Amino acid sequence: MTAGGRPADPAETEKGGVRTALAGLTTRGRSFLAAGIAAAICAYVLGQSDLLRVGLLLAVLPLVCATVLFRTRYRVAGSRRLSPGRVPAGSEARVHLRMDNVSRLPTGLLMLQDRVPYVLGPRPRFVLDRVEAGGRREVSYRVRSDLRGRYPLGPLQLRLTDPFGMCELTRSFSTYDTLTVIPRVEALPAVRLTGEAKGYGDGRNRSLALAGEDDVIPRGYRHGDDLRRVHWRSTARYGELMVRREEQPQRARCTVLLDTRGAGFRGAGPDSAFEWAVSGTASTLVHMLERGFSVRLLTDTGASVPGEGSDGFAGASQESADAAGLMMDTLAVVDHSDGAGLSRAYDVLRGGNEGLLIAFLGDLAEDQAAVVAKMRRRSGAAVAFVLDSTAWAQGQGALPSGAGDARVQMLREAGWTALVVPPGAGFADLWRQADHARTSAGPAPVAGTTTGGWA
């Protein structure tokens, strides 16, 4: 990511130029000017001509420096490069700045300053020595944020100063860049997820996470085709021998539902329940894309990722990295919604078989839990991670409050694999527990038993 430009040359009137130059006087320049005026007044009162010369010299020096500095037109080009431009929360990114003197004259002392939001750290400042004609200077600094989001960097500012330190003037570039801080992504273990048997061929077992219609379009007979595959209806229609296709494409679909209701979560900050849900959603999306699933991100408002197709983003393809980037950019800025229920998400899901459904839910009322329970009918398998916001508000180590036990049990009776997420829990461990709940008839660690499973 590169941003460049030249400091703007303001078209000011002469009066405005004088004001700008005088406003740029430093403490030293103002002191010289005040001392010169005082010396001139004393020389006039005392009749001392030598003192008058000294006073005039002291007063004129900062004015001359300010005038020369203001009329100097440095032609300096600047660029900024982020490495990387998309960084997980809690990780550092390096910002590289480059200044090029594109004029035929050398510059004086330059003070370089970049504007950054407070959450990324202190504002970086650099002092650049004289830059020769056609010369270049490169500096860099690091930024870090524990909070996801999109943060503007810039515009870049140059502070010009004269050799005597009498005056400083600031010029700004007009361009800026954006640093995207995405949620933390946790590597998930490979478990037996429904829908791994995907691909082509009549011998592949259809799984509940596989969605899509059979391809029944016949094709013309080819030498060597099995006569048992002859499609007689099409043969009679087209007047030539037609056979059924031997391969039928199957696509493993996965929908990840993120509950963003403000009423479903308490607290804020990087260690809050909502941030855990966003991070878990990001980890799931990346993991499922890597496993070759067609993945769709859905929120309680019924919104999805801009540019996403009806079947979601396809995994195991050249576009999977771009798809993951789009989803991470969406999750970087996702915030609490004003919605009170999950009916909009249900309306989107009830349009067809969504394959595997993985949901990250906050506190659920009875009617909201009933809506979530009905989502199970439109999916091949369903897993829910339910966060107890009351326990999360108390901090890590707090025991589950038990306020949502009845709601979780309602989901389990509807066929969901429902797990309660305790404060500070590792998502990779819960991911294994979900697989354990599917394969074990006994109680799963921490999460308890369930009647619903992955398959």
Side-chain angles (χ1 to χ4, degrees), residues 80-305:
R80 181 190 299 104
R81 179 171 57 87
L82 304 182
S83 178
R86 184 187 292 118
V87 61
S91 301
E92 291 184 343
R94 182 173 288 275
V95 183
H96 302 269
L97 303 177
R98 191 180 77 177
M99 302 300 302
D100 295 280
N101 183 11
V102 296
S103 65
R104 298 180 180 180
L105 298 176
T107 69
L109 187 66
L110 301 178
M111 297 182 64
L112 187 63
Q113 177 178 278
D114 204 9
R115 289 186 177 181
V116 299
Y118 176 78
V119 70
L120 297 182
R123 180 171 297 183
R125 295 181 175 90
F126 305 93
V127 178
L128 304 181
D129 295 332
R130 177 182 177 183
V131 182
E132 65 279 4
R136 174 188 301 173
R137 296 290 186 271
E138 295 184 1
V139 295
S140 64
Y141 63 94
R142 294 185 178 184
V143 291
R144 179 180 182 273
S145 175
D146 292 328
L147 299 175
R148 56 185 175 79
R150 293 174 63 87
Y151 301 101
L153 299 179
L156 195 62
Q157 290 182 333
L158 280 179
R159 183 173 297 177
L160 312 178
T161 182
D162 65 281
F164 300 101
M166 298 289 180
C167 183
E168 290 182 354
L169 294 180
T170 301
R171 293 289 184 266
S172 296
F173 289 81
S174 58
T175 56
Y176 64 93
D177 287 307
T178 301
L179 175 67
T180 303
V181 181
I182 63 176
R184 295 183 180 92
V185 176
E186 187 174 353
L188 301 180
V191 297
R192 291 185 56 199
L193 298 178
T194 298
E196 288 182 333
K198 58 185 179 302
Y200 296 85
D202 294 335
R204 306 303 293 259
N205 294 327
R206 181 172 296 274
S207 175
L208 289 176
L210 297 178
E213 295 76 15
D214 294 341
D215 189 355
V216 296
I217 300 177
R219 59 172 175 82
Y221 177 82
R222 298 171 186 171
H223 179 72
D225 284 339
D226 192 347
L227 293 177
R228 290 176 297 180
R229 293 187 175 274
V230 173
H231 195 268
W232 297 108
R233 181 179 300 176
S234 298
T235 299
R237 178 179 180 182
Y238 293 102
E240 60 177 318
L241 204 58
M242 306 292 291
V243 297
R244 295 187 303 270
R245 295 198 180 197
E246 297 179 357
E247 297 182 348
Q248 296 177 349
Q250 297 177 341
R251 294 173 297 175
R253 296 180 184 175
C254 176
T255 299
V256 182
L257 173 62
L258 174 61
D259 181 7
T260 63
R261 295 173 299 114
F265 297 91
R266 299 181 183 178
D271 297 327
S272 63
F274 182 68
E275 292 301 323
W276 190 98
V278 174
S279 178
T281 300
S283 302
T284 303
L285 291 172
V286 172
H287 180 76
M288 302 307 286
L289 280 173
E290 293 175 349
R291 302 295 289 272
F293 280 68
S294 293
V295 182
R296 178 170 66 168
L297 172 62
L298 184 66
T299 65
D300 59 291
T301 61
S304 57
V305 179

Side-chain angles (χ1 to χ4, degrees), residues 329-343:
D329 290 344
T330 301
L331 291 177
V333 296
V334 69
D335 202 357
H336 291 295
S337 68
D338 297 331
L342 298 161
S343 57

Side-chain angles (χ1 to χ4, degrees), residues 49 73 96 147 174 222 250 307 318 360 381 386 410 435:
S49 59
R73 292 292 183 259
H96 302 269
L147 299 175
S174 58
R222 298 171 186 171
Q250 297 177 341
Q318 295 181 352
F360 294 84
V386 184
M410 182 185 301
D435 183 61

